[in-house]
């Protein structure tokens, strides 16, 4: 295995699958950073659970992307041998954990999208994606419930927790627009029926966000955030550090099997 | 993981009243008869105290033990290894959780015993005060540290105190899975490139002696063994368990093509045991006294997580209280 980055023949389907795989891996990685450091033992365990689900989703998605790409890249080649410009995840999921409020807000904003996304994807015309979605849908329903319950507790808890949750919402909101972005590449896959149009999930996401923020006594920021670029590999500064850490061993020991 | 015979001293026992003497004899008869003692049963105060100390130290060891391995979750070299390591560290959190619950059956709260850990008053296994410097350490910990923990813990599945014994049955199942996983990492490294094999040998060199120390001081110096043995909390001596571990582990090292860092290690045909060299007990005392390579870091990290999470725990309590009050109001209005 060479340690320089791999080159991909990125068909629209490969690109679309990689976007979901990268979302899951990067967010799973972020959540795994909490393990041993959470506010209570129960959350060490719960956040690790969510992280494990997401890493599991990433693995099946990478395996499928590797198959359809057809150059022999396995899940590890795709995860460990692409650099940040080749990663296709949402900017939202690569944002640092911050305090527990930032982690929960990030998780909520993503899960409120991922849950209806995977549910809709169970009707994909691509049988492998439909199969992956059937599992991911069950997991994401739990992820959404977990994040929403915490957001309500934090928003409607103490003055301090409300203040922190409101700050996190304000800070992360700028990345929400990207959730619903569709470019020409993904549009081509949507038209085959293999993928769902993310924009079509906007009303469901709005309803979830409004209901939970209402119960959490938090004010929804106006409009949608405008920071995008992750889907085409233009990331925030944070992703490079995450990948440098995550990829260090396979890149240091060329050809090794672990 | 990781009960350990630690060298703390009990308060001097007070003389018993006639009634207590009778109860105490009945208690001992039940223990001798291999009956399980349950939370609501009468038990000698010293038995309760010994168990609280041992179970809470064991729980703390699980929690602090999450840190050295957690150090490699974000750098695991494949997605499969990453998921397996994260799941393992998560299991340790789970072990901590039900051990704290077992301690609570003896009348101490989780907050109370966690405070003892954070204040530095309570001990945890000395092994977690060593650093994880390379990926091979994750293999070595699974293989050796979990292996040593299993030696210590299998007998605890028959411990006289019911809730502890039952927790240990579940923990031991998971630990043996972790141990196989660790050994498999070592196998992969040993069969890998020259650099990987060197990482594996280096990890064995660093973890071997600290793992032998995990069984606690030599039998002549252990201060809890007599009462714990009589109460059937402890069924084998520190030295017996240590020998058992060495006998099981040396052939495993040889199978990996690795050499334990002990020039005196030799097989004794007559006894069928592997004889090993002198353990550096001064190093063990230093680590227990807080002067190991990572003692300060481990506690600092635990304290930071606890302090940083205080506002979250307060928010959860405040919200629960609000919800309770709202529910009571709604019921009042409905009535």
């Amino acid at each position: 295995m060479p340690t320089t980055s791999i080159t991909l023949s990125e068909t629209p389907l490969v690109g679309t699958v990689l976007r979901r795989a990268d979302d899951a891996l990067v967010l799973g990685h972020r959540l795994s950073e909490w393990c041993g450091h959470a506010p209570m033992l129960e959350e060490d365990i719960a956040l690790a659970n969510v992280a494990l689900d997401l890493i599991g989703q990433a693995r099946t998605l990478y395996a499928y992307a590797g198959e359809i790409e057809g150059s022999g890249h396995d899940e590890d080649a795709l995860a460990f041998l692409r650099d940040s410009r080749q990663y296709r995840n949402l900017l939202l999921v690569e944002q640092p954990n911050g305090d527990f409020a930032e982690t929960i807000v990030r998780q909520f904003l993503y899960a409120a999208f991922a849950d209806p996304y995977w549910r809709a994807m169970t009707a994909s015309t691509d049988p492998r994606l439909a199969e992956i979605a059937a599992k991911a849908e069950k997991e994401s329903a739990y992820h959404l419930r977990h994040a929403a319950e915490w957001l309500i507790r934090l928003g409607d808890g103490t003055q301090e927790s409300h203040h922190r949750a409101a700050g996190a919402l304000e800070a992360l909101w700028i990345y929400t627009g990207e959730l619903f972005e569709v470019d020409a590449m993904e549009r081509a896959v949507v038209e085959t029926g293999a993928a769902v149009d993310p924009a079509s999930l906007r009303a469901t996401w709005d309803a979830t966000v409004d209901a939970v923020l209402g119960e959490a006594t938090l004010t929804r920021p106006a409009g949608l955030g405008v920071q995008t670029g992750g889907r085409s590999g233009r990331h925030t500064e944070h992703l490079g550090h995450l990948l440098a850490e995550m990829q260090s061993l396979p890149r240091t020991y060329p050809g090794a099997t672990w | 993981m990781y009960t350990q015979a630690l060298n703390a001293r009990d308060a001097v026992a007070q003389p018993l009243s006639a009634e207590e003497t009778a109860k105490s004899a009945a208690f001992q008869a039940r223990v001798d008869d291999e009956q399980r003692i349950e939370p609501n049963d009468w038990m000698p105060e010293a038995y309760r105290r010994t168990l609280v100390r041992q179970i809470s130290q064991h729980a703390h060891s699980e929690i602090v033990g999450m840190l050295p391995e957690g150090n490699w979750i974000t750098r695991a070299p494949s997605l499969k290894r990453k998921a397996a390591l994260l799941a393992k560290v998560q299991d340790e959190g789970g072990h901590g959780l039900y051990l704290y619950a077992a301690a609570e059956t003896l009348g101490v709260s989780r907050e109370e015993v966690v405070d003892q850990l954070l204040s530095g008053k309570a001990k945890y296994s000395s092994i977690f005060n060593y650093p994880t410097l390379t990926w091979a350490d994750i293999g070595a910990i699974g293989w050796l540290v979990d292996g040593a923990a299993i030696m210590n813990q299998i007998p605890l599945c028959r411990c006289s105190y019911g809730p502890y014994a039952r927790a240990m049955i579940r923990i031991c199942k998971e630990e043996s899975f972790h141990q196989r996983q660790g050994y498999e990492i070592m196998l992969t490294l040993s069969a890998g490139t020259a650099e990987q094999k060197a990482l594996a040998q280096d990890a064995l060199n660093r973890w071997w002696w600290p793992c032998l120390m995990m069984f606690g001081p030599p039998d002549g110096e252990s201060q809890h063994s007599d009462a714990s043995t009589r109460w059937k909390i402890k069924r084998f001596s520190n030295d017996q368990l240590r020998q058992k571990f060495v006998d099981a582990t040396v052939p495993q090292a040889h199978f990996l093509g690795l050499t334990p860092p002990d020039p005196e290690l030799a097989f004794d045909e007559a006894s069928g045991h592997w004889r090993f060299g002198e353990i550096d007990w001064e190093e063990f005392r230093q680590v227990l006294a807080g002067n190991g390579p990572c003692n300060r870091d481990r506690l600092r990290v635990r304290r930071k997580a606890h302090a940083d999470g205080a506002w979250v725990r307060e928010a959860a309590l405040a919200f629960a209280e609000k919800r309770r009050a709202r529910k009571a109001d709604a019921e009042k209005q409905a009535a």
Side-chain angles (χ1 to χ4, degrees):
Chain A
M1 194 187 279
T3 48
T4 47
S5 298
I6 55 175
T7 311
L8 291 178
S9 349
E10 218 170 294
T11 64
L13 184 60
V14 171
T16 301
V17 175
L18 276 179
R19 287 174 175 182
R20 270 71 217 178
D22 290 345
D23 284 348
L25 179 61
V26 170
L27 187 56
H29 182 98
R30 279 291 185 223
L31 292 175
S32 79
E33 293 171 357
W34 272 105
C35 193
H37 309 276
M40 61 199 75
L41 197 42
E42 285 81 353
E43 280 311 298
D44 276 313
I45 294 170
L47 293 173
N49 250 337
V50 178
L52 281 167
D53 286 344
L54 291 168
I55 292 167
Q57 290 173 12
R59 292 181 66 188
T60 54
L61 288 162
Y62 283 135
Y64 185 44
E67 276 172 43
I68 50 182
E69 197 250 341
S71 318
H73 296 126
D74 63 8
E75 58 177 41
D76 290 327
L78 291 170
F80 293 92
L81 297 178
R82 283 180 305 140
D83 67 22
S84 69
R85 299 286 283 131
Q86 295 171 289
Y87 260 73
R88 297 283 177 259
N89 58 280
L90 297 162
L91 301 180
L92 175 68
V93 298
E94 73 198 36
Q95 297 312 302
N97 285 339
D99 64 10
F100 189 69
E102 284 173 74
T103 291
I104 288 298
V105 168
R106 183 186 66 197
Q107 193 63 29
F108 171 70
L109 295 174
Y110 174 76
F113 172 81
D115 181 49
Y117 183 84
W118 289 120
R119 196 166 319 119
M121 282 293 283
T122 58
S124 166
T125 54
D126 182 310
R128 277 287 287 284
L129 287 178
E131 192 187 310
I132 291 169
K135 184 157 185 286
E137 178 214 9
K138 294 189 189 80
E139 294 165 347
S140 61
Y142 162 70
H143 302 172
L144 177 57
R145 198 171 67 236
H146 171 260
E149 282 172 2
W150 265 113
L151 189 54
I152 292 166
R153 263 184 222 122
L154 297 181
D156 193 20
T158 62
Q159 220 173 10
E160 179 178 9
S161 67
H162 179 89
H163 179 73
R164 285 178 187 256
L169 190 61
E170 202 64 49
L172 292 169
W173 193 261
I174 55 170
Y175 303 113
T176 49
E178 194 179 25
L179 289 164
F180 307 102
E181 228 175 47
V182 201
D183 58 6
M185 181 195 86
E186 196 155 327
R187 174 79 55 210
V189 183
V190 169
E191 277 161 12
T192 68
V196 171
D197 182 352
S200 70
L201 303 169
R202 173 70 195 277
T204 311
W205 186 85
D206 276 337
T208 307
V209 168
D210 288 343
V212 172
L213 291 186
E215 213 179 321
T217 70
L218 292 164
T219 309
R220 178 179 166 142
L224 274 186
V226 294
Q227 284 300 320
T228 70
R231 295 303 191 203
S232 54
R234 206 178 64 250
H235 289 276
T236 61
E237 289 177 347
H238 305 294
L239 183 67
H241 295 278
L242 183 153
L243 294 181
E245 184 176 347
M246 186 178 87
Q247 300 178 338
S248 58
L249 274 179
R251 296 219 187 233
T252 306
Y253 297 95
T257 307
W258 301 95
Chain B
M1 302 181 218
Y2 331 118
T3 50
Q4 179 171 58
L6 293 160
N7 235 358
R9 202 178 290 270
D10 261 340
V12 179
Q14 299 298 312
L16 299 178
S17 70
E19 193 199 341
E20 279 173 330
T21 308
K23 279 183 176 168
S24 188
F27 170 85
Q28 188 62 47
R30 285 187 62 195
V31 169
D32 291 343
D33 191 35
E34 298 287 341
Q35 293 181 35
R36 292 279 164 273
I37 306 302
E38 295 299 333
N40 292 328
D41 296 343
W42 185 89
M43 62 187 80
E45 182 50 27
Y47 175 84
R48 195 190 71 86
R49 225 173 25 237
T50 298
L51 278 169
V52 167
R53 184 185 55 226
Q54 180 167 332
I55 297 173
S56 58
Q57 278 174 0
H58 188 170
H60 300 331
S61 300
E62 298 282 357
I63 302 310
V64 176
M66 294 169 79
L67 301 175
E69 289 177 281
N71 182 38
W72 280 90
I73 291 172
T74 55
R75 290 177 292 167
S78 73
L79 294 182
K80 184 183 131 200
R81 295 291 187 204
K82 191 186 197 67
L85 179 59
L86 179 55
K88 177 180 195 263
V89 179
Q90 184 195 35
D91 280 349
E92 283 154 17
H95 297 172
L97 205 55
Y98 36 88
L99 285 165
Y100 282 131
E104 281 179 327
T105 66
L106 292 159
V108 287
S109 70
R110 184 161 129 197
E111 290 71 20
E112 217 175 310
V113 291
V114 167
D115 280 347
Q116 287 170 1
L117 170 69
L118 298 178
S119 70
K121 200 176 148 223
K123 301 272 188 228
Y124 55 87
S125 182
S126 57
I127 197 75
F128 301 115
N129 293 312
Y130 290 87
T132 50
L133 302 179
T134 75
W135 170 252
D137 291 24
I138 298 308
I141 287 182
W143 169 38
L144 300 172
V145 176
D146 289 284
I150 291 166
M151 292 286 172
N152 261 334
Q153 290 175 178
I154 293 279
L156 286 172
C157 298
R158 295 186 292 131
C159 159
S160 60
Y161 188 58
Y164 193 27
R166 288 188 288 273
M168 291 317 304
I169 290 170
R170 187 166 159 195
I171 290 174
C172 281
K173 278 185 194 150
E174 294 180 354
E175 295 295 4
S176 49
F177 178 66
H178 296 163
Q179 204 243 352
R180 282 197 298 276
Q181 239 171 24
Y183 193 69
E184 204 263 320
I185 291 178
M186 295 304 276
L187 261 178
T188 308
L189 293 174
S190 302
T193 64
E195 276 174 312
Q196 285 177 302
K197 195 163 177 185
L199 287 176
Q201 180 64 54
D202 170 58
L204 174 58
N205 292 348
R206 283 180 292 108
W207 290 94
W208 175 256
W209 290 109
C211 281
L212 296 194
M213 295 174 198
M214 281 177 71
F215 296 92
D219 291 350
E221 293 172 29
S222 182
Q223 296 183 12
H224 298 306
S225 291
D226 289 351
S228 287
T229 305
R230 194 172 68 240
W231 288 328
K232 297 194 192 264
I233 296 172
K234 193 173 175 67
R235 288 177 185 262
F236 297 97
S237 76
N238 295 352
D239 285 335
Q240 282 173 327
L241 289 168
R242 188 167 13 247
Q243 185 63 57
K244 218 172 151 185
F245 173 75
V246 171
D247 289 342
T249 310
V250 172
Q252 293 170 354
H254 292 159
F255 184 79
L256 294 171
L258 303 177
T259 312
D262 179 358
E264 289 175 49
L265 194 67
F267 189 67
D268 177 29
E269 293 284 352
S271 65
H273 291 303
W274 284 90
R275 296 299 172 205
F276 49 95
E278 186 69 25
I279 292 171
D280 180 0
W281 291 112
E282 180 50 28
E283 176 180 324
F284 180 65
R285 277 186 284 273
Q286 286 294 336
V287 175
L288 282 195
N291 301 320
C294 300
N295 295 58
R296 249 173 303 179
D297 277 345
R298 300 292 184 241
L299 267 191
R300 188 156 46 198
V301 168
R302 282 314 315 155
R303 286 182 188 137
K304 183 175 187 310
H306 192 76
D308 288 353
W311 69 270
V312 179
R313 297 189 299 275
E314 281 158 21
L317 283 176
F319 178 75
E321 179 53 33
K322 279 186 196 176
R323 188 158 53 178
R324 195 198 55 76
R326 281 177 203 143
K327 200 173 162 223
D329 276 355
E331 278 164 8
K332 213 180 289 173
Q333 279 179 359

